């Protein structure tokens, strides 16, 4: 009885703490301190999740690389990453295998602004070669991606500096008509529209990138139509975050996406039609389960297999029960022989012989009990009868 009680208690405790019964609602979101865009996204996502019952703790990191490293190491649960950031994955090495994509949150566009006007027909080489090119953080995600672009395009003698270090050109990932792009326009910087050859070259070298045309802002005198490339900012998690927890998180974001769109139009990119195969990091099992929620359930898909397994279990259980019953029957047959022998000894008139035979019977019963060939309850009954008979014989003497 005690074993059953302890087992039941452990089972209840295990179920109460599992991901299915109690999905995670407290998450640690790792954010790079100096990344304008990811902090901007966090200022939308965190209140959205908290309004819907989640508890979010911000974990600060030196860069996007370090933020994703914290997630990969299990020191944070969530982070953001540009979907084309292969250099980031290379920096993380084997640890990148611990990252899983939850869903793309928004489309990001590559913006470039020149301090001085460029002649009509200028190419990306005219824009970047031999220039001081400003990035948000040296050694960060955007800087590594830009260095990769420059290397592939064989654009030389460009020097990467921070935005504060007197750049001639600034390059950053933003979204549509974001605040940062508007600020550079207002400060007199000149937006750059990439030529078709450059866009095709980048898209060909990285399938996660695609062409994008951003119309000019009608009310901005310096605004022009911009041809550029686009990628997605993806919410990622550690692979050990529970499947059901991620299912619930993805379900909330997908089904209440309008709450995010009301915060910024860039979140209109949230939809279930994205291609999981295009993601830098594999899709988390929780999101995958959500996307196939209309498909047959696990039990429906594997009903025949489950039925076969249950049948095998039933046959095995039946066999074990038969063996158990056979052993019990042998024990019962054995004790029946002892009871018959006890009755036969009891009918003997010679007291001395009777005592000797009863002692021998008791000795054999003890040996049978220790070798587990006799049931304990039956042994207790037999031994009690023998002891009572011996007591009566000694009392008679």
């Amino acid at each position: 009885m005690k074993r059953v009680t302890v087992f039941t208690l452990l089972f209840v405790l295990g179920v109460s703490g599992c991901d299915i019964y109690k999905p995670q609602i407290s998450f640690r979101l790792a954010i790079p301190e100096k990344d304008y865009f990811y902090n901007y996204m966090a200022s939308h996502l965190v209140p959205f999740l908290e309004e819907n019952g989640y508890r979010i703790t911000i974990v600060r990191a030196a860069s996007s690389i370090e933020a994703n490293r914290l997630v990969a190491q299990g020191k944070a649960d969530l982070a953001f990453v540009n979907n084309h950031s292969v250099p980031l994955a290379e920096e993380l090495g084997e640890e990148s295998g611990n990252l899983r994509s939850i869903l793309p949150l928004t489309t990001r566009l590559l913006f470039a602004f020149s301090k001085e006007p460029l002649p009509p027909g200028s190419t990306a080489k005219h824009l970047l070669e031999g220039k001081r090119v400003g990035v948000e953080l040296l050694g960060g995600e955007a800087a590594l991606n830009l260095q990769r672009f420059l290397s592939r395009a064989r654009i030389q003698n460009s020097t990467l500096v921070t935005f504060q270090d007197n750049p001639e050109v600034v390059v950053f990932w933003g979204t549509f008509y974001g605040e940062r792009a508007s600020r550079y326009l207002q400060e007199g910087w000149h937006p750059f529209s990439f030529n078709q050859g450059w866009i095709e070259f980048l898209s060909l070298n990285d399938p996660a990138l695609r062409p994008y045309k951003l119309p000019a802002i009608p009310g901005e005198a310096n605004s022009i139509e911009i041809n550029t490339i686009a990628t997605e900012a993806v919410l990622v998690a550690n692979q050990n975050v529970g499947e059901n927890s991620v299912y619930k998180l993805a379900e909330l974001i997908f089904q209440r996406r309008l709450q995010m769109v009301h915060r910024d139009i860039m979140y209109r990119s949230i939809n279930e039609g994205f291609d999981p195969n295009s993601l830098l990091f594999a899709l988390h099992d929780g999101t995958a389960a959500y996307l196939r929620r209309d498909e047959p359930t696990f039990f429906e898909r594997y009903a025949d297999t489950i039925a076969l397994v249950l049948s095998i279990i039933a046959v095995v259980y039946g066999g074990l029960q038969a063996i158990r019953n056979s052993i019990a029957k042998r024990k019962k047959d054995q004790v029946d022989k002892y009871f018959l022998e006890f009755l036969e000894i009891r009918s003997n008139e010679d007291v001395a012989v009777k005592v000797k035979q009863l002692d021998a019977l008791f000795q054999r019963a003890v040996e049978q009990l220790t070798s587990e060939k006799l049931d304990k309850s039956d042994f207790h009954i037999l031994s009690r009868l023998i002891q009572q008979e011996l007591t009566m014989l000694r009392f008679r003497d």
Side-chain angles (χ1 to χ4, degrees), residues 26-30 46 50 55-60 76-77:
S26 296
F27 289 97
R28 298 163 295 172
L29 175 62
V46 171
E50 290 179 340
R55 295 189 295 270
I56 308 298
T57 302
I58 298 295
V59 179
R60 296 294 175 184
D77 304 302

Coordinates of all heavy atoms in Angstrom, one line a residue, residues 26-30 46 50 55-60 76-77:
S26 N 7.0 32.2 -18.0 CA 8.1 33.1 -17.7 C 9.3 32.8 -18.6 O 9.8 31.7 -18.7 CB 8.5 32.9 -16.2 OG 7.5 33.2 -15.3
F27 N 9.7 33.9 -19.3 CA 10.7 33.8 -20.3 C 11.8 34.9 -20.1 O 11.4 36.0 -19.7 CB 10.2 33.9 -21.7 CG 9.4 32.7 -22.2 CD1 8.0 32.7 -22.1 CD2 10.0 31.6 -22.7 CE1 7.2 31.7 -22.5 CE2 9.3 30.5 -23.1 CZ 7.9 30.5 -23.0
R28 N 13.0 34.5 -20.3 CA 14.1 35.5 -20.3 C 14.5 35.8 -21.8 O 14.9 35.0 -22.5 CB 15.3 34.9 -19.6 CG 15.1 34.5 -18.2 CD 16.2 33.5 -17.7 NE 16.1 32.3 -18.4 CZ 17.0 31.3 -18.3 NH1 18.1 31.5 -17.5 NH2 16.9 30.2 -19.0
L29 N 14.3 37.1 -22.1 CA 14.5 37.6 -23.5 C 15.9 38.3 -23.5 O 16.1 39.3 -22.8 CB 13.4 38.6 -23.9 CG 13.6 39.3 -25.2 CD1 13.6 38.2 -26.4 CD2 12.4 40.2 -25.5
A30 N 16.8 37.8 -24.2 CA 18.2 38.4 -24.3 C 18.2 39.4 -25.4 O 17.8 39.2 -26.6 CB 19.2 37.3 -24.7
V46 N 7.5 42.7 -25.5 CA 7.4 42.5 -24.1 C 6.0 42.9 -23.5 O 5.4 42.1 -22.9 CB 8.6 43.2 -23.3 CG1 8.3 43.1 -21.8 CG2 9.9 42.5 -23.7
E50 N 3.2 40.4 -21.9 CA 2.8 40.7 -20.5 C 1.3 41.0 -20.4 O 0.6 40.5 -19.5 CB 3.6 41.8 -19.9 CG 5.1 41.4 -19.7 CD 5.9 42.5 -19.1 OE1 5.5 43.7 -19.2 OE2 7.0 42.2 -18.5
R55 N 5.3 36.5 -18.2 CA 6.2 37.3 -17.4 C 7.6 37.2 -18.2 O 8.2 36.2 -18.4 CB 6.4 36.7 -16.0 CG 5.1 36.7 -15.2 CD 5.4 36.3 -13.7 NE 5.8 34.9 -13.6 CZ 4.9 33.9 -13.5 NH1 3.6 34.2 -13.4 NH2 5.4 32.7 -13.4
I56 N 8.1 38.4 -18.5 CA 9.3 38.5 -19.4 C 10.3 39.3 -18.6 O 10.1 40.3 -18.0 CB 9.0 39.3 -20.7 CG1 7.8 38.6 -21.4 CG2 10.2 39.3 -21.6 CD1 8.0 37.2 -21.8
T57 N 11.5 38.7 -18.5 CA 12.7 39.3 -17.9 C 13.7 39.6 -19.0 O 14.1 38.7 -19.8 CB 13.3 38.4 -16.9 OG1 12.4 38.0 -15.9 CG2 14.6 39.0 -16.3
I58 N 14.2 40.8 -19.1 CA 15.2 41.2 -20.1 C 16.5 40.9 -19.6 O 16.9 41.3 -18.5 CB 15.1 42.7 -20.4 CG1 13.7 43.1 -21.0 CG2 16.2 43.2 -21.4 CD1 13.4 42.4 -22.4
V59 N 17.3 40.2 -20.4 CA 18.7 39.9 -20.1 C 19.6 40.6 -21.1 O 19.4 40.5 -22.3 CB 19.0 38.3 -20.3 CG1 20.4 38.0 -20.0 CG2 18.0 37.6 -19.3
R60 N 20.4 41.5 -20.6 CA 21.2 42.4 -21.5 C 22.5 41.7 -21.9 O 23.1 40.9 -21.2 CB 21.6 43.7 -20.7 CG 20.4 44.6 -20.4 CD 19.8 45.1 -21.6 NE 18.6 45.9 -21.3 CZ 17.8 46.4 -22.3 NH1 18.0 46.2 -23.5 NH2 16.7 47.1 -21.9
A76 N 19.4 32.1 -21.2 CA 18.2 32.9 -21.6 C 17.3 32.0 -22.5 O 17.8 31.0 -22.9 CB 18.6 34.2 -22.4
D77 N 16.1 32.4 -22.6 CA 15.1 31.5 -23.4 C 14.9 32.0 -24.8 O 14.7 31.2 -25.7 CB 13.8 31.5 -22.6 CG 13.9 31.1 -21.2 OD1 14.5 29.9 -21.0 OD2 13.6 31.8 -20.3

